[in-house]
Amino acid sequence: MQKQEILQTYFGYSDFRPGQELLIDSILSGRDVLGIMPTGAGKSICYQVPALMLPGITVVISPLISLMKDQVQALNQAGIHAAYINSSLTEGQIQKAMEYAMGGRYKIIYVAPERLETWDFICFAQRARISMVAVDEAHCISQWGQDFRPSYLKIVSFIKRLNARPVIGAFTATATGQVKEDIIAVLGLRTPQLLISGFDRQNLYFGVETPKNKLSYVIQYIESHVGDSGIVYCATRKNVEKVHEALLARGIPAARYHAGLSAQERSENQEDFIYDRKPVIVATNAFGMGIDKSNVRFVLHFNMPQSMENYYQEAGRAGRDGAESECIMLFSGQDVAVNRYLLDNKAPNEELEPEENELVRERDSQRLQSMVNYAGSTSCLRKYILEYFGEYGMQRCENCSVCRGEYEEQDCTQEARQIVTCILELRQRFGINVVAGTLHGDRRSKLLELGADRCPTYGALQNLSEDRIKLIIRELEQREYLEATLDKYAILKVCGKAQGLLDGSDTVILRWARESENAAAKPRKTRKSDVLNHRGLELFEALKKQRLELAREAGVPPYMVFSDKTLIEMCIYLPFDRAEMLKISGVGERKYDRYGEAFLTAVREFTQGRKEKTYFGELGTAQAVIELAGARPSEKSVGRRGRGRANR
């Protein structure tokens, strides 16, 4: 079976996404590959398709049990036999899985990196024909990455123990230039085919909000998005409990997830979310890496994450089906203090030397500063994210809170000059809190003890709030007039460029967002109601009900049957027979054999066998809206990958 036929038969799509064929062809020719592709670009297709074409077994190394289960479950739903081997199985089950793989029943085996050192698995791997080793979440192998896992280093010795070196594929969604080079070097990739397909996910709206009451904002937002599935990330367990209790008090069905809960409760809460029994989950960053729920419509960050890598990975769990979704971070100055405390109290990595741990700590501090700059950015947020990952060119995306917001420009040159002067008067010995407090004229005891009230600039900016002063300071850091030390004190220093402010040759024009009382309730995204008329929406609900029944019978999450995007296309095209159903995006032959007839029956019964108009405007217009809202395919699951006709 050729690659195009595999794509159509098992995954339900006629075209590959950009870059996928390049990696697939390279693997099939025996060349190592490194794919750096954003969530939604279809990384898993790049090793799953060649795995079915190569003569031997493909071993996929994955960091989490939940991630393996989701991938294997999705493959089996598509009609592909696969298995995972991890600590959740009994020894008997593990032996049976390896026997089936040796016998040719399983072409793809998912394993945790820790499993690579066990005697049984090494014996299996040395006897079996391993054609490919695919390393998922490959950034975990780099000690300079945001999620270094020492267990990933076991991959190197495992490959060396094999009788014949297989082709190696490494895949990740987030990697800076240094992490990319580290992956290549540590894994020993041989002249790899490199694909960096771009980090931009156009279906995601990015926003930063600074509400006076974060909890009220979250409640208002979720109540204005009834029926949508979403994640609320919090920095601490305490905040998870606070937000969760507040949602329950408002009658919002929400689950919670953090390390303080028992393993059983975490598992039950996760399943409630995945199976849509509770559409909202409040969690720490311990949640999500193994979650491939395609219909997450929003990700709210109650607190600022510690790095752009973490933020983009967590925010990227929205809109995996390609539909328009929102990623909103709620920011306050307290977030910076909390994150600095967490970094300062982070245990050193025992696998690293003291000097290396110090370098890691400095890099963590730099990453945190990048997030602070993002939170205070008055230019396009998507541009900021893309430039962080090394992509340049975009100026405005028109799909973030800055580009869509109402702003007013203000000449802040005088304020900037006062800030620089104050830092110099304080002999460049203090951080942002002391500087802002001094300029505001605060009377708190610490400032008086330091003698801040004797500075000529004390109270010079008393007409501004301390938060506004801090925002100006952050902007001056971004523009390289100031810099903060990388230790836990983050002491502000004046850069040489600041001389232009002091002598009057430079001006600082800043853009400030106008306040909006109902920012949380503003509709921003394309909804199915923008495409389907009342009849189409009725059919959509009928198909959702059919999907839920089939999912319960199969014991799988509803999105694993068909995505929302696929159901919307069914509502538009009204397939009455097998040939028409197979033209629907996301319906492959194997999925049709399992579920197709049930949905055909539902469509025929609803329409009584007559074609009717279920959408607004012309057919081409409706399809174009769906493509624009759903052009980005799911990253990790099969059977949900879009054709990618838009944005090619």
Side-chain angles (χ1 to χ4, degrees):
M1 191 178 288
Q2 297 302 306
K3 61 186 179 185
Q4 204 76 29
E5 189 179 356
I6 289 172
L7 185 71
Q8 178 67 53
T9 301
Y10 294 105
F11 302 97
Y13 303 98
S14 56
D15 298 317
F16 285 101
R17 295 284 291 168
Q20 286 181 327
E21 278 192 283
L22 175 64
L23 295 184
I24 290 170
D25 290 342
S26 297
I27 290 171
L28 292 175
S29 70
R31 185 178 179 184
D32 293 347
V33 303
L34 171 57
I36 302 174
M37 306 161 73
T39 300
K43 290 186 291 295
S44 58
I45 292 287
C46 297
Y47 57 82
Q48 288 169 347
V49 169
L52 299 179
M53 301 176 66
L54 292 170
I57 299 167
T58 289
V59 174
V60 181
I61 298 165
S62 188
L64 293 178
I65 290 174
S66 55
L67 191 61
M68 296 182 213
K69 288 182 176 178
D70 190 79
Q71 289 255 24
V72 170
Q73 194 174 38
L75 284 166
N76 288 328
Q77 282 294 301
I80 298 170
H81 293 299
Y84 57 80
I85 296 175
N86 56 46
S87 58
S88 70
L89 303 180
T90 66
E91 285 303 315
Q93 289 173 321
I94 291 172
Q95 290 298 324
K96 184 64 69 176
M98 290 190 292
E99 287 175 17
Y100 283 158
M102 289 291 293
R105 179 169 178 176
Y106 297 140
K107 293 284 289 178
I108 305 175
I109 296 282
Y110 285 79
V111 299
E114 295 80 4
R115 178 66 48 180
L116 303 178
E117 283 194 327
T118 62
W119 178 250
D120 284 352
F121 192 78
I122 291 171
C123 290
F124 155 74
Q126 290 178 335
R127 288 186 294 117
R129 183 176 183 180
I130 307 295
S131 295
M132 173 169 55
V133 172
V135 183
D136 202 7
E137 307 291 348
H139 62 274
C140 294
I141 204 168
S142 172
Q143 64 179 342
W144 309 124
Q146 83 283 6
D147 194 24
F148 173 54
R149 293 170 180 254
S151 60
Y152 259 57
L153 297 175
K154 304 178 192 300
I155 298 170
V156 180
S157 57
F158 168 74
I159 292 172
K160 289 179 179 178
R161 287 181 172 182
L162 298 177
N163 295 325
R165 185 185 185 277
V167 63
I168 303 172
F171 304 89
T172 181
T174 55
T176 59
Q178 186 166 25
V179 172
K180 176 195 72 175
E181 297 300 326
D182 216 21
I183 292 171
I184 294 172
V186 177
L187 277 178
L189 301 183
R190 299 176 180 175
T191 59
Q193 175 63 62
L194 177 64
L195 174 72
I196 303 176
S197 65
F199 291 90
D200 189 12
R201 293 183 60 199
Q202 297 177 13
N203 64 311
L204 297 185
Y205 166 91
F206 290 99
V208 174
E209 302 288 347
T210 56
K212 294 178 180 178
N213 188 316
K214 289 186 178 184
L215 196 56
S216 296
Y217 182 100
V218 170
I219 292 171
Q220 181 187 1
Y221 182 96
I222 293 175
E223 288 183 339
S224 66
H225 293 74
V226 176
D228 284 351
S229 182
I231 304 171
V232 182
Y233 278 111
C234 301
T236 63
R237 300 178 191 179
K238 181 180 178 180
N239 279 344
V240 168
E241 295 293 343
K242 179 175 74 172
V243 174
H244 181 248
E245 288 174 8
L247 295 181
L248 293 183
R250 300 283 293 207
I252 297 170
R256 59 178 178 166
Y257 192 103
H258 60 70
L261 304 176
S262 68
Q264 180 178 351
E265 184 175 356
R266 288 199 303 272
S267 177
E268 290 173 354
N269 292 349
Q270 179 172 300
E271 288 207 355
D272 282 344
F273 176 66
I274 290 174
Y275 285 83
D276 288 335
R277 293 189 287 266
K278 293 180 179 178
V280 177
I281 191 165
V282 188
T284 60
N285 62 7
F287 174 82
M289 185 177 271
I291 303 304
D292 191 27
K293 193 173 192 290
S294 68
N295 64 334
V296 175
R297 294 278 72 87
F298 63 84
V299 172
L300 304 181
H301 276 83
F302 194 77
N303 307 105
M304 180 186 70
Q306 291 181 353
S307 72
M308 182 56 69
E309 289 91 341
N310 286 339
Y311 177 66
Y312 203 50
Q313 187 175 59
E314 291 161 11
R317 285 158 192 153
R320 285 180 180 268
D321 57 1
E324 294 292 306
S325 305
E326 297 186 341
C327 311
I328 299 174
M329 186 175 79
L330 309 184
F331 177 73
S332 70
Q334 183 65 19
D335 292 338
V336 184
V338 169
N339 277 309
R340 289 204 185 278
Y341 174 82
L342 293 174
L343 288 180
D344 291 341
N345 290 274
K346 183 179 178 181
N349 191 321
E350 295 180 358
E351 302 280 337
L352 303 179
E353 296 296 325
E355 297 81 4
E356 291 177 315
N357 270 310
E358 181 61 22
L359 282 173
V360 170
R361 191 196 63 75
E362 288 185 8
R363 291 173 191 276
D364 286 344
S365 184
Q366 289 173 338
R367 289 190 180 100
L368 177 58
Q369 186 58 50
S370 294
M371 280 308 302
V372 174
N373 294 342
Y374 173 79
S377 177
T378 57
S379 60
C380 175
L381 296 180
R382 190 182 306 275
K383 174 177 179 285
Y384 186 99
I385 293 171
L386 296 180
E387 287 185 354
Y388 180 87
F389 290 109
E391 294 184 20
Y392 298 89
M394 175 181 290
Q395 294 303 315
R396 290 178 62 85
C397 71
E398 308 302 340
N399 195 27
C400 73
S401 58
V402 174
C403 291
R404 289 194 181 187
E406 295 183 5
Y407 283 80
E408 53 190 5
E409 290 191 344
Q410 180 181 352
D411 187 336
C412 293
T413 306
Q414 181 60 29
E415 289 84 352
R417 187 177 298 124
Q418 294 282 16
I419 289 169
V420 171
T421 302
C422 179
I423 294 171
L424 292 173
E425 289 174 354
L426 291 169
R427 300 181 182 179
Q428 304 184 78
R429 294 169 54 200
F430 302 103
I432 192 170
N433 291 327
V434 170
V435 173
T438 300
L439 288 160
H440 183 64
D442 195 276
R443 300 290 299 175
R444 57 182 182 267
S445 58
K446 180 181 179 181
L447 290 178
L448 299 179
E449 289 172 10
L450 294 172
D453 58 329
R454 295 193 294 273
C455 288
T457 51
Y458 179 77
L461 300 181
Q462 58 184 317
N463 59 316
L464 300 181
S465 68
E466 284 195 49
D467 283 341
R468 177 56 64 94
I469 296 171
K470 288 179 181 179
L471 285 174
I472 298 175
I473 291 173
R474 299 299 186 198
E475 188 66 27
L476 293 179
E477 286 184 75
Q478 263 193 278
R479 300 189 185 193
E480 298 180 347
Y481 289 108
L482 304 175
E483 63 181 1
T485 60
L486 297 177
D487 54 30
K488 64 181 180 180
Y489 303 106
I491 295 169
L492 289 172
K493 302 289 185 179
V494 176
C495 301
K497 184 180 176 182
Q499 185 59 42
L501 290 175
L502 298 177
D503 63 22
S505 60
D506 282 8
T507 58
V508 176
I509 307 296
L510 301 183
R511 299 169 70 234
W512 303 113
R514 291 194 176 97
E515 295 294 329
S516 175
E517 294 297 321
N518 298 308
K522 285 183 179 178
R524 302 184 182 98
K525 58 181 186 250
T526 303
R527 297 173 179 270
K528 56 185 176 291
S529 56
D530 296 330
V531 180
L532 303 176
N533 61 25
H534 74 284
R535 284 288 289 169
L537 291 173
E538 288 176 9
L539 176 56
F540 181 79
E541 292 303 318
L543 296 182
K544 274 183 66 178
K545 184 177 179 182
Q546 178 67 69
R547 180 177 66 179
L548 183 60
E549 291 175 1
L550 292 171
R552 285 173 176 169
E553 290 174 7
V556 298
Y559 66 83
M560 222 171 254
V561 176
F562 288 126
S563 70
D564 284 358
K565 178 176 178 287
T566 297
L567 297 191
I568 293 173
E569 285 207 15
M570 289 183 193
C571 294
I572 291 174
Y573 289 102
L574 302 179
F576 286 170
D577 56 38
R578 184 178 186 276
E580 290 180 344
M581 182 63 86
L582 286 175
K583 292 179 181 178
I584 300 296
S585 173
V587 183
E589 292 181 12
R590 301 308 171 101
K591 279 286 188 80
Y592 177 85
D593 292 343
R594 185 168 296 196
Y595 304 120
E597 286 297 328
F599 284 92
L600 282 178
T601 300
V603 172
R604 290 194 204 103
E605 289 181 353
F606 182 86
T607 61
Q608 295 183 341
R610 296 191 299 269
K611 297 285 187 180
E612 58 180 288
K613 188 174 181 181
T614 55
Y615 49 87
F616 292 115
E618 299 300 318
L619 179 59
T621 303
Q623 180 60 44
V625 173
I626 287 297
E627 286 297 334
L628 288 173
R632 299 283 175 172
S634 170
E635 170 197 346
K636 291 183 180 297
S637 65
V638 295
R640 299 200 308 284
R641 183 184 165 278
R643 287 177 181 159
R645 286 170 286 189
N647 296 327
R648 283 194 159 272

